[in-house]
Amino acid sequence: MCVRASVIRLARLLGNLLTNAERHAHTKIEVVVTADPPDAVLEVLDDGLGIPPEDRERVFERRYRREEARVRDPGGSGLGLSIAREIAQEHGGRLYAAEHHGGARFVLRLPLATERYR
């Protein structure tokens, strides 16, 4: 499974997702990679408090931090998830927070590379 993307930018996107998961997880972070044509799908799940449905879009706003995040890690900037989403969009993809019982779940969908670009 391949996607056409900047390795440096994707590393930053994944780093931001993992840093976020590390901040909020109680004990477990899981990364799942699958193909769901026409997309490659990467999911980062944690076993933290999760994100209420009303905040699933807001967490991607620059400088937005939920109260629990400010208490748990006062040094965060509130930029990581917005930067991650921008990188996904630059590559024709989507990044969103999805429902997950028992924590947070971020889903990255990027178009699979065609045979021509592999």
Side-chain angles (χ1 to χ4, degrees), residues 52-110:
E54 63 273 11
D55 284 338
R56 288 192 189 136
E57 271 305 305
R58 289 202 66 202
V59 297
F60 294 102
E61 294 174 9
R62 286 191 172 274
R63 304 257 182 229
Y64 177 76
R65 296 188 72 212
R66 296 186 63 238
E67 180 62 31
E68 301 86 48
R70 288 192 299 271
V71 169
R72 190 165 191 170
D73 182 14
S77 67
L79 295 174
L81 292 176
S82 65
I83 291 169
R85 180 177 263 183
E86 288 171 13
I87 294 168
Q89 292 171 339
E90 287 170 5
H91 291 87
R94 297 185 310 135
L95 175 63
Y96 55 94
E99 185 171 337
H100 177 56
H101 300 289
R105 175 177 165 222
F106 288 93
V107 180
L108 170 65
R109 299 184 72 90
L110 292 173

Side-chain angles (χ1 to χ4, degrees), residues 2-7 10 90-92 110-114 116-118:
C2 294
V3 297
R4 281 187 48 102
S6 162
V7 173
L10 284 186
E90 287 170 5
H91 291 87
L110 292 173
L112 286 165
T114 61
R116 181 174 147 201
Y117 295 109
R118 288 186 186 186

Side-chain angles (χ1 to χ4, degrees), residues 3 9 18 22 33-34 36 38 43 47 55 76 88 107 116 118:
V3 297
R9 299 289 283 161
L18 291 173
E22 186 177 43
V33 179
T34 58
D36 182 22
E43 298 182 61
D47 65 350
D55 284 338
V107 180
R116 181 174 147 201
R118 288 186 186 186

